[in-house]
Amino acid sequence: FILFFLDDFAYYWFHRMNHEVRLLWAGHVPHHSSVKLNYATALRQGVGERVHKYFFWLWIPLLGFDALMMFIVLSINLIYQFWVHTELVHKLSKWIALIFNTPSHHRVHHASNIRYLDRNHAGVLIIWDRLFNTFSEEKHFEKPIYGLTRNINSYNPAYVVSHEYLSIWKDVVRASKWSDKLKYIFYAPGWSHDGEDRRARVLRERV
């Protein structure tokens, strides 16, 4: 029971950092590049994020939890996340939605609307988003628009999994200052040293 909470907490930060650090986002972006939300989207997983994923869980064995227990709980968390990738379920009871990640919450997460950008990173429990101020409710007056803020319009799987790494490399090369090069790697997606700052936080502040 304790491990379930620790695992879900680790997942929240892993998922949130995938959206707030561009290098990590490059590994996660294939999951968000679909312009539709359905159960096939749930299976549309990034390759690059497998490299850094488990670093977010390394602190848990130090507390004494067995690795096999961790993999079981990780699997339960991942299985739960499959069913929230749907438009078929409207809104659940407010008491369920207060605690658990729901299809409504996850539709927000996959939306490219400025209101919804980089929100609702939950695995099973939405309480972490509420606690750390990354929660946004799905509004009846603003339908989620799925996909990226700039869609890639490609069905080439090699390009889908690599396009953001290529974009980072191009930005790093064209930046002259080392500080700017590092910012292109570690700042949130949308930052630019010579153009409009389109990070989610900045766009929301403008609105």
Side-chain angles (χ1 to χ4, degrees):
F1 182 76
I2 295 172
L3 180 57
F4 167 78
F5 280 92
L6 297 179
D7 166 71
D8 203 57
F9 179 74
Y11 179 83
Y12 167 81
W13 283 106
F14 159 71
H15 197 184
R16 178 173 173 176
M17 289 302 102
N18 275 349
H19 284 257
E20 296 184 359
V21 177
R22 192 177 176 195
L23 180 62
L24 305 187
W25 168 247
H28 184 59
V29 69
H31 183 61
H32 284 267
S33 60
S34 173
V35 295
K36 297 181 180 180
L37 186 71
N38 51 43
Y39 291 133
T41 310
L43 303 176
R44 187 186 181 106
Q45 295 296 311
V47 177
E49 68 180 5
R50 306 298 137 201
V51 176
H52 64 265
K53 177 174 183 177
Y54 294 101
F55 287 101
F56 286 85
W57 277 263
L58 285 178
W59 59 278
I60 299 179
L62 299 177
L63 301 178
F65 290 96
D66 183 86
L68 183 58
M69 289 175 63
M70 290 180 60
F71 282 120
I72 291 171
V73 175
L74 276 162
S75 299
I76 292 171
N77 196 311
L78 188 61
I79 291 168
Y80 179 91
Q81 291 179 53
F82 177 78
W83 83 278
V84 298
H85 289 81
T86 182
E87 294 187 289
L88 299 177
V89 179
H90 187 49
K91 288 200 174 186
L92 301 179
S93 157
K94 66 178 182 178
W95 299 110
I96 294 174
L98 186 66
I99 300 171
F100 293 99
N101 191 14
T102 67
S104 176
H105 296 334
H106 206 61
R107 286 193 289 270
V108 165
H109 179 72
H110 273 267
S112 60
N113 316 47
I114 292 177
R115 174 190 297 275
Y116 299 145
L117 277 178
D118 291 355
R119 288 294 184 249
N120 299 0
H121 305 292
V124 176
L125 303 174
I126 201 68
I127 58 174
W128 310 120
D129 286 290
R130 296 183 184 279
L131 182 62
F132 296 111
N133 198 33
T134 53
F135 175 74
S136 180
E137 185 178 358
E138 182 182 22
K139 301 295 186 180
H140 66 86
F141 54 80
E142 186 163 356
K143 181 178 173 60
I145 300 171
Y146 305 117
L148 307 175
T149 53
R150 292 172 180 167
N151 288 313
I152 57 175
N153 299 318
S154 174
Y155 295 101
N156 182 334
Y159 183 73
V160 170
V161 301
S162 65
H163 72 93
E164 185 63 12
Y165 291 109
L166 295 172
S167 295
I168 292 174
W169 174 251
K170 290 177 182 177
D171 286 336
V172 167
V173 169
R174 71 186 183 84
S176 56
K177 294 168 57 178
W178 274 101
S179 59
D180 289 338
K181 292 178 185 292
L182 292 173
K183 287 175 182 177
Y184 275 120
I185 297 172
F186 296 108
Y187 269 28
W191 182 84
S192 174
H193 79 288
D194 59 356
E196 182 185 6
D197 190 340
R198 295 189 58 80
R199 287 175 290 177
R201 172 179 57 82
V202 176
L203 293 175
R204 260 192 301 275
E205 287 173 356
R206 287 186 194 144
V207 171

